[in-house]
Amino acid sequence: MAINYTTLVSEIASITVISSTILVNGDLLFAGPMPAIIDYAEGRIYRDLDLPAARVTDTSVTCSSGVRTIALSTTQGTILEIESLNLLTSAGTTSSNAIRVPVVPVSKAVVDTIYPSALSSYCGQPEFFARVTDTQLILGPAPDQPYGTEVVGVIRPNPLSATNSSTWLTQNVPELILAACMVFTAGYMQNFGAQSDNPQMALSWEGQYQQLMKTANIDSLRQKFQSDAWTQAVPAPLAQPPRG
């Protein structure tokens, strides 16, 4: 069953016997741990699972003629990994009608060596790109026209909170986000260092998280047609004994 921010807080409160008010608002001495719990859980899940839900496509950025740098849009979130970059040709064509020309990722040294200048004699239709910061790319050669771009990449979706009460994780893998939250919460309850003396609770939830992650990862692979034989099929167990 899908959950939301309120029900997640309530479930953690029931398991830990820490009141929902303390989890969210804290007390006179400490701030509420709920934001840190969610940060830990979501960050871990998004890194462990390569989710299609964390992918975006952006066509808002247009190259400038004679300028080899372009700035990635952050409207949908900072793009952590770029999966593909296409030029939209001819220059000025809308994305729905454009011909997509893939631009190949390389190192900055390659771009600087092959296309060391943005002078008009070096300009042309970009063939390569290199990422130099989290929001800036360089193109080689520098564009000779104002081409549109299409970037497909991975972001971190907006975190769960009181004002963003439902996310893909709470709707589709509620048991996984609860287990991840409880790994952190177990440490919080034991003041972290005490886990070495009394590790059972944290280790128990870690075990639950790992078991749930195995099946969630299969679902993620199936969504991307990266399961067995590059299909969407559930991996089939090998027959025992195997057939010749």
Side-chain angles (χ1 to χ4, degrees), residues 37-48 156 169 209:
I37 293 171
I38 290 172
D39 284 346
Y40 173 88
E42 290 188 333
R44 186 171 181 184
I45 293 171
Y46 284 128
R47 285 189 293 270
D48 285 345
R156 287 289 179 266
L169 298 179
Y209 176 84

Side-chain angles (χ1 to χ4, degrees), residues 127-139:
E127 302 176 33
F128 306 108
F129 78 90
R131 190 168 190 171
V132 292
T133 72
D134 61 341
T135 58
Q136 188 178 71
L137 310 178
I138 57 171
L139 303 173

Side-chain angles (χ1 to χ4, degrees), residues 20 29 34 42 55 104 107 115 123 136 186 203 210 213 235-236 244:
S20 297
L29 297 177
M34 206 60 215
E42 290 188 333
R55 282 171 172 73
V104 179
S107 70
Y115 301 106
C123 290
Q136 188 178 71
L203 291 179
Q210 294 297 337
M213 178 55 66

